[in-house]
Amino acid sequence: MSNFWNQLMIRASSPLARRQVKRRATSNPAILTHTRCFNPTEAHRPTIVHKRSLDILHDPWFNKGTAFTMTERDRLDLRGLLPPNVVSEEQQIDRFMVDLKRLEEHTRDGPYDPNALAKWRILNRLHDRNETMYYKVLIDNIAEYAPIVYTPTVGLVCQNYSGLFRRPRGMYFSAADRGEMISMVYNWPAEQVDMIVVTDGSRILGLGDLGVQGIGIAIGKLDLYVAAAGINPQRVLPVMIDVGTNNEKLLKDPWYLGLQQHRLDGDEYVEIIDEFMEAVFTRWPHVIVQFEDFQSKWANKLLKRYRKTYRMFNDDVQGTAGVAIAGLLGAVRARGRPMIDFPKQKIVVAGAGSAGIGVLNTARKTMARMLGKHENALESARSQFWVVDAKGLITEERQNVDPDALPFARKVNEINHQGLREGSSLVEVVRKVKPDVLLGLSAVGGLFSKEVLEAVRESTSSRPAIFAMSNPTKNAECTAEEAFTIAGDNIIFSSGSPFNDVDLGNGKIGHCNQGNNMYLFPGVGLGTLLSGAKIISDGMLQAAAECLAAYMSEEEVLKGKIYPTIASIRDITKQVAAAVVKEAIDEDLAEGYREVHADELKKLNKDEIIEYVENNMWYPDYPTLVFKED
């Protein structure tokens, strides 16, 4: 036996204890070289361990997962590294058995791929075992696995996260941790974190309030930061801020892992987010924080509150807007027109949530910039949009209109001659306006009905564009097949979730462009990181969108391809990141990255900036390992 087991034999206090040690050592050869302390005669006493924090959670021998008591969590520096609800061993077993039975009974469990959830589980297990191999598989097969680790499957993962939970990933800050966050943040073992994706679980994709289970979206986004942008996986951190949930089903679910209380609101809510932001930027002053899937009520408010102080952005507001702008500019090119013609486009927008308002604001600024520096540029740009929400067309007559939507409310004298009024339905608006673009950001599946699509067909545009951007797949405003079949072969179609191209006959293909945020946010994050920009400016986001819009060749665009393939995502991200770095330099926001100072960045030309970005993208290769005693 090894010296370790010999020492245990000496310490064993009785012949029976010594026989137990010997039997344990000889029955499992893999244990012979184990270095942990184990005394079979003292099973009722506390076990001495020589590790804390994530080292405990990543050790299959000592890890209890959600069964760690709050006392143990404080003693072992685990507070914040697990969902806040303490679960008994019996509940853990029950949850596992329920999930096992569900797997046995349901094989078709994915919204896009019938085996999507099964693939996610297999990939997740690989991630748990071997992170380098996981990211190598993901990068080399990104077109196949992006829909598994991200949309649309990530929505299904979040809906079932309490049942899927096996090992913790990321950090959990909850309402129960008020006053503790500045110390909790030091429980994370990484000395440097470059990228945080944080959610409060209040509006996961188009699925609504999923509470603590929303951590799945942060994990999925960071997988893409690693795969697409080459952010080092040891320097990323998914975060869940659990302030409760208003999802009654979760409040009654005995296996739910989050706080089973209604959501905090108002000043209490803001104080928690403030404390979190102060904590992470105190420990990691240069970190970038991406806000993800916060409900519309808070998304814009928090963005305005923090964006001038911290390196942060909101992907739903700004990322979605950037990808949509790139697609809208691509649609102009697909009509054989230069992008500068964008301000002439008539755009009907279905949806006035955080994503919809984000797109509207960005599109208006883009139009205004193209119109030139005259005082009526913003007003002229505003007049190109008709915004329809659940109550119909938004006009100045609307009572209690959302302040963020107010700038886009149509004036009565503008719409009277069109036969429109406050609250006009979507189909009425499309029929009267005859838009160049119908943009869906409503999260209402099937909103683009047969009548709406027929109205698009009557548009005066030579090639109308239909953007069904809501995620996941079931929330898409229409499918690609519906759009091409009803609105006509010549349309330009884009969606948020993936759809297959449509065979139009006679050798013609209706291209389904996936206008996914993954084209933009990894490049925005990487470019911000490598520039060392103090904040993420509108100009940096605009540069990213215009870079994406220009990525496709003229020949591809005229065929109706306005977004590149996912397979080229790493190259796209490199180009977008370089555009962001250049804009940060031009705006004098760049402060440099590691050994590269701002003055050195300013000397780089466009090609050198691209090379600089590429040289700083992590790739999963096995490192040489050397052991050293403490």
Side-chain angles (χ1 to χ4, degrees):
M1 289 190 296
S2 70
N3 185 59
F4 167 69
W5 287 99
N6 285 331
Q7 292 298 315
L8 282 185
M9 288 285 286
I10 292 170
R11 292 206 304 267
S13 57
S14 69
L16 175 60
R18 287 193 287 273
R19 285 198 299 272
Q20 287 175 323
V21 171
K22 186 174 183 178
R23 183 168 63 250
R24 184 174 177 84
T26 56
S27 65
N28 188 349
I31 295 178
L32 291 176
T33 58
H34 216 290
T35 58
R36 296 178 182 84
C37 180
F38 174 79
N39 189 337
T41 66
E42 299 179 350
H44 62 285
R45 296 183 184 178
T47 299
I48 304 301
V49 294
H50 300 288
K51 54 179 63 180
R52 294 177 297 179
S53 188
L54 284 180
D55 288 339
I56 286 283
L57 298 177
H58 290 168
D59 188 320
W61 195 340
F62 293 124
N63 180 35
K64 300 183 192 176
T66 53
F68 278 113
T69 66
M70 293 310 296
T71 300
E72 288 174 314
R73 295 182 191 202
D74 283 335
R75 186 184 296 144
L76 299 171
D77 290 346
L78 296 174
R79 183 184 276 265
L81 302 183
L82 291 161
N85 197 10
V86 177
V87 174
S88 71
E89 182 179 356
E90 291 76 19
Q91 285 177 306
Q92 287 181 314
I93 294 170
D94 286 344
R95 188 173 72 236
F96 173 78
M97 293 306 297
V98 167
D99 195 42
L100 181 63
K101 293 298 181 184
R102 193 178 66 79
L103 265 180
E104 293 173 355
E105 295 168 3
H106 303 286
T107 56
R108 297 184 63 85
D109 52 17
Y112 173 64
D113 178 342
N115 301 308
L117 202 53
K119 289 180 181 178
W120 180 88
R121 291 170 197 257
I122 294 168
L123 286 171
N124 195 51
R125 289 170 193 148
L126 177 60
H127 198 175
D128 287 342
R129 298 193 308 272
N130 187 327
E131 197 164 75
T132 301
M133 185 183 294
Y134 170 77
Y135 284 115
K136 188 168 181 60
V137 168
L138 187 56
I139 290 170
D140 292 348
N141 303 275
I142 191 68
E144 180 179 357
Y145 292 137
I148 304 300
V149 302
Y150 185 46
T151 58
T153 306
V154 71
L156 191 65
V157 170
C158 289
Q159 287 176 300
N160 295 277
Y161 197 77
S162 287
L164 293 170
F165 182 87
R166 293 295 176 269
R167 292 178 65 180
R169 200 180 300 283
M171 287 196 75
Y172 300 80
F173 295 83
S174 77
D177 298 316
R178 277 176 282 193
E180 299 288 339
M181 293 183 192
I182 194 66
S183 59
M184 281 171 60
V185 76
Y186 287 91
N187 291 344
W188 190 252
E191 287 303 314
Q192 180 58 47
V193 170
D194 292 332
M195 180 63 60
I196 289 174
V197 175
V198 59
T199 183
D200 69 351
S202 58
R203 190 199 62 81
I204 298 300
L205 300 172
L207 301 170
D209 184 348
L210 297 183
V212 79
Q213 301 182 150
I215 186 71
I217 196 75
I219 293 168
K221 288 275 186 177
L222 285 169
D223 276 348
L224 293 183
Y225 266 114
V226 176
I231 303 289
N232 190 320
Q234 295 182 4
R235 297 165 75 105
V236 302
L237 174 58
V239 169
M240 173 71 213
I241 299 180
D242 186 358
V243 294
T245 178
N246 292 334
N247 185 324
E248 293 299 326
K249 181 180 177 182
L250 296 179
L251 289 172
K252 297 173 183 175
D253 185 348
W255 295 318
Y256 176 60
L257 295 175
L259 294 177
Q260 290 185 298
Q261 63 184 46
H262 284 99
R263 282 187 173 275
L264 295 182
D265 206 353
D267 290 343
E268 276 190 301
Y269 174 84
V270 174
E271 286 168 7
I272 287 174
I273 310 298
D274 280 350
E275 184 180 349
F276 162 76
M277 292 293 280
E278 183 179 353
V280 296
F281 279 95
T282 295
R283 185 175 182 197
W284 302 298
H286 303 295
V287 72
I288 301 162
V289 176
Q290 175 180 314
F291 277 57
E292 187 68 32
D293 286 356
F294 282 69
Q295 60 183 311
S296 301
K297 176 180 179 179
W298 288 112
N300 282 293
K301 290 178 182 177
L302 294 176
L303 179 61
K304 291 175 184 176
R305 186 176 183 86
Y306 302 128
R307 69 172 306 193
K308 299 297 184 184
T309 308
Y310 298 114
R311 295 210 299 178
M312 61 80 62
F313 70 107
N314 184 302
D315 187 47
D316 304 299
V317 177
Q318 297 164 295
T320 299
V323 171
I325 295 305
L328 293 171
L329 293 174
V332 176
R333 293 180 66 201
R335 298 185 189 104
R337 307 298 302 169
M339 286 194 285
I340 200 71
D341 276 2
F342 179 50
K344 300 176 183 178
Q345 306 299 296
K346 294 181 293 182
I347 302 173
V348 171
V349 180
S354 58
I357 296 300
V359 170
L360 285 164
N361 283 322
T362 304
R364 183 174 67 155
K365 289 174 184 175
T366 303
M367 284 185 176
R369 194 173 73 171
M370 290 179 171
L371 287 168
K373 296 182 178 179
H374 62 82
E375 57 184 69
N376 294 322
L378 272 176
E379 176 60 22
S380 178
R382 181 204 63 80
S383 67
Q384 297 301 109
F385 299 94
W386 288 258
V387 185
V388 180
D389 66 3
K391 297 178 181 178
L393 179 65
I394 298 176
T395 75
E396 60 185 5
E397 293 183 334
R398 176 74 63 90
Q399 298 295 314
N400 301 317
V401 66
D402 184 334
D404 293 319
L406 189 58
F408 299 95
R410 300 295 301 197
K411 292 177 171 48
V412 173
N413 62 352
E414 291 177 330
I415 61 173
N416 279 345
H417 73 279
Q418 293 177 311
L420 294 172
R421 65 193 186 287
E422 162 62 34
S424 287
S425 68
L426 179 61
V427 68
E428 287 179 295
V429 174
V430 174
R431 282 173 181 161
K432 300 291 185 180
V433 173
K434 299 186 183 302
D436 298 288
V437 180
L438 174 59
L439 177 58
L441 291 157
S442 65
V444 179
L447 180 66
F448 295 170
S449 63
K450 182 173 182 289
E451 292 74 21
V452 170
L453 294 174
E454 285 174 340
V456 172
R457 191 183 188 111
E458 302 305 315
S459 170
T460 53
S461 172
S462 60
R463 199 171 190 187
I466 297 171
F467 286 68
M469 302 297 282
S470 293
N471 285 313
T473 311
K474 69 170 189 168
N475 287 32
E477 285 80 6
C478 68
T479 67
E481 188 169 357
E482 288 167 344
F484 282 104
T485 301
I486 300 171
D489 293 358
N490 200 41
I491 66 164
I492 300 154
F493 180 81
S494 179
S495 59
S497 289
F499 287 101
N500 292 325
D501 289 343
V502 178
D503 185 351
L504 302 175
N506 299 319
K508 292 183 65 178
I509 298 293
H511 293 286
C512 176
N513 298 279
Q514 188 186 0
N516 200 295
N517 287 21
M518 70 180 290
Y519 285 124
L520 220 60
F521 71 77
V524 171
L526 179 62
T528 303
L529 176 69
L530 298 183
S531 69
K534 296 172 281 190
I535 60 169
I536 300 174
S537 69
D538 287 337
M540 290 162 67
L541 293 161
Q542 186 71 34
E546 290 182 5
C547 175
L548 177 58
Y551 189 85
M552 303 297 290
S553 70
E554 204 67 28
E555 182 182 359
E556 289 173 315
V557 168
L558 291 175
K559 289 179 180 178
K561 298 179 181 179
I562 58 174
Y563 290 114
T565 63
I566 297 294
S568 56
I569 189 63
R570 205 160 166 99
D571 184 64
I572 298 162
T573 299
K574 177 179 67 177
Q575 301 291 338
V576 169
V580 171
V581 171
K582 185 177 185 306
E583 183 64 24
I585 294 169
D586 292 346
E587 294 184 32
D588 201 27
L589 293 172
E591 296 188 345
Y593 174 69
R594 295 185 180 174
E595 304 85 18
V596 181
H597 299 293
D599 289 341
E600 295 174 77
L601 284 178
K602 291 175 183 178
K603 297 175 184 177
L604 302 179
N605 61 37
K606 181 179 178 182
D607 291 339
E608 289 171 335
I609 291 174
I610 292 173
E611 184 180 1
Y612 164 67
V613 169
E614 186 172 20
N615 289 340
N616 280 282
M617 293 173 74
W618 176 87
Y619 189 80
D621 288 319
Y622 284 121
T624 300
L625 302 179
V626 177
F627 176 76
K628 185 179 180 181
E629 290 280 4
D630 290 338

